[in-house]
């Protein structure tokens, strides 16, 4: 049996504000799900197209207090347990620790259960929680009812600057959070040093990057355009076979949330206090 998956992040807001965003139904409908209902201490549920198996609410509130929210979540016939714990780093900054049971990276890579999306679902959701509390623009969510993987967002930086941060290995390592090896040419690699990656199949200076992930995983295309002094990033994932690769899609969207912060926040620091990873028992 695997240990719970752990994610740790920092938010530039007091703990009370983060707790409010976690326990207010209107806030949940902004950063987490299409639908949410909250009647503490008895009920805390979310569902809809942005939720895996979101045809109906499948959560069961287990515990809530001033710093902890814990709930059971039935996914693919198994009740998982999610816990979100808050801690005040100081009067203005809050640390978030999320643990999630029943996530296995091997299942995620094989796509054998919807539980394989849990890691990147929570990476994207926490990124949006943080931006919601900090009053920033949110990143598009994943629509689990659609097989079209396309999204747009704007970044407060010039197009050439954003392009460079997508093909320069040192910069990508900073905002993506893992060591990168990039050969910025058609036929070159765009790879995570420890996890493999993709081949660059199209590259237009300051405009477009296309990555072929091989096999049934398809091609990602990132296109940049000027937008009133900012940069519009359009992201499309196509050419995959079988079930859409929702886990990888949300991982890239979560990465783009950090890319935006990388460019827009002065004295930027990584949101994640440690690289999101699954911890396993030996």
């Amino acid at each position: 049996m695997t240990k719970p998956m752990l994610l740790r992040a920092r938010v530039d807001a007091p703990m009370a504000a983060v707790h409010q965003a976690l326990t207010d139904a209107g806030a949940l409908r902004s950063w987490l799900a299409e639908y949410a209902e909250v009647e503490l201490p008895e009920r805390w549920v979310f569902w809809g197209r942005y939720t895996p198996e979101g045809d109906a609410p499948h959560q069961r509130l287990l515990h809530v207090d001033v710093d902890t929210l814990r709930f059971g979540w039935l996914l693919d016939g198994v009740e998982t347990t999610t816990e979100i714990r808050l801690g005040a780093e100081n009067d203005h900054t809050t640390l978030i620790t999320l643990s999630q049971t029943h996530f296995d990276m091997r299942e995620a890579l094989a796509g054998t259960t919807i539980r394989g999306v849990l890691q990147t679902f929570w990476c994207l959701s926490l990124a949006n929680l943080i931006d919601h509390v900090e009053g920033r623009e949110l990143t598009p969510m994943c629509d689990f009812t659609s097989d079209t993987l396309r999204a747009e967002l704007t970044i407060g930086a010039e197009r050439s600057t954003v392009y460079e941060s997508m093909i320069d290995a040192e910069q990508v390592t900073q905002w993506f959070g893992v060591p990168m090896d990039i050969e910025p040419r058609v036929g070159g690699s765009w790879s995570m040093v420890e996890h493999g990656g993709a081949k660059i199949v199209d590259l237009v200076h300051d405009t477009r990057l296309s990555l072929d992930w091989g096999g049934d995983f398809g091609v990602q295309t990132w296109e940049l355009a000027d937008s009133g002094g900012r940069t519009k990033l359009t992201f499309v994932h196509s050419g995959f076979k079988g079930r859409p690769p929702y886990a990888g899609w949300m991982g890239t969207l979560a990465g783009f949330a950090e890319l935006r912060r990388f460019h827009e926040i002065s004295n930027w620091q990584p949101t994640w206090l440690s690289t999101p990873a699954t911890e396993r028992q030996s």
Side-chain angles (χ1 to χ4, degrees):
M1 181 178 179
T2 60
K3 291 182 179 179
M5 175 194 77
L6 294 176
L7 301 174
R8 298 180 66 242
R10 175 184 287 109
V11 54
D12 188 18
M15 197 168 89
V18 182
H19 187 273
Q20 173 72 10
L22 281 171
T23 55
D24 177 79
L28 292 172
R29 289 192 289 268
S30 172
W31 65 266
L32 178 62
E34 186 177 15
Y35 305 111
E37 293 179 359
V38 177
E39 296 177 8
L40 301 180
E42 302 298 330
R43 182 173 170 82
W44 186 95
V45 296
F46 62 94
W47 72 101
R49 56 188 171 140
Y50 305 131
T51 302
E53 294 192 341
D55 57 308
H58 297 298
Q59 297 80 33
R60 181 171 63 93
L61 185 61
L62 302 175
H63 175 80
V64 61
D65 60 24
V66 296
D67 61 12
T68 303
L69 173 70
R70 186 183 311 115
F71 58 93
W73 184 4
L74 187 67
L75 285 169
D76 200 11
V78 174
E79 184 171 87
T80 74
T81 300
T82 309
E83 180 178 280
I84 304 174
R85 186 178 294 273
L86 308 179
E89 186 174 44
N90 54 51
D91 290 343
H92 308 288
T93 306
T94 302
L95 304 181
I96 303 173
T97 301
L98 182 143
S99 67
Q100 173 68 63
T101 68
H102 296 83
F103 173 80
D104 188 306
M105 183 60 74
R106 292 167 297 184
E107 291 182 341
L109 294 174
T112 54
T113 171
I114 193 63
R115 294 189 300 275
V117 307
L118 282 170
Q119 182 184 33
T120 53
F121 172 83
W122 284 122
C123 285
L124 178 57
S125 297
L126 289 184
N128 274 335
L129 166 61
I130 291 166
D131 283 336
H132 170 82
V133 174
E134 294 181 358
R136 298 172 47 77
E137 183 180 353
L138 303 191
T139 300
M141 301 179 191
C142 173
D143 185 346
F144 287 93
T145 69
S146 174
D147 59 4
T148 299
L149 304 183
R150 184 181 189 279
E152 294 181 354
L153 54 85
T154 55
I155 299 171
E158 295 184 354
R159 180 159 53 107
S160 60
T161 302
V162 176
Y163 173 81
E164 188 66 23
S165 70
M166 292 164 54
I167 54 95
D168 177 75
E170 183 176 348
Q171 293 188 58
V172 179
T173 295
Q174 288 182 275
W175 61 262
F176 202 53
V178 296
M180 298 296 298
D181 180 17
I182 299 175
E183 301 170 307
R185 58 176 175 80
V186 173
S189 67
W190 195 97
S191 299
M192 295 166 277
V193 172
E194 298 177 358
H195 306 286
K199 177 186 291 187
I200 298 174
V201 292
D202 190 15
L203 188 67
V204 179
H205 184 72
D206 287 355
T207 301
R208 184 168 59 252
L209 170 66
S210 292
L211 305 172
D212 186 348
W213 291 89
D216 297 338
F217 294 103
V219 175
Q220 295 178 352
T221 298
W222 309 351
E223 293 196 4
L224 304 177
D226 294 326
S227 179
R230 307 176 74 194
T231 298
K232 182 174 76 171
L233 168 60
T234 302
F235 171 49
V236 179
H237 193 140
S238 61
F240 51 84
K241 298 179 182 179
R243 175 187 289 180
Y246 294 127
W249 171 249
M250 289 185 292
T252 304
L253 288 176
F256 286 160
E258 192 71 352
L259 173 63
R260 179 194 281 144
R261 296 172 66 88
F262 177 77
H263 285 290
E264 295 181 352
I265 296 178
S266 60
N267 301 316
W268 169 85
Q269 297 182 68
T271 298
W272 304 106
L273 299 179
S274 58
T275 301
T278 302
E279 297 190 4
R280 296 182 175 85
Q281 291 180 335
S282 59

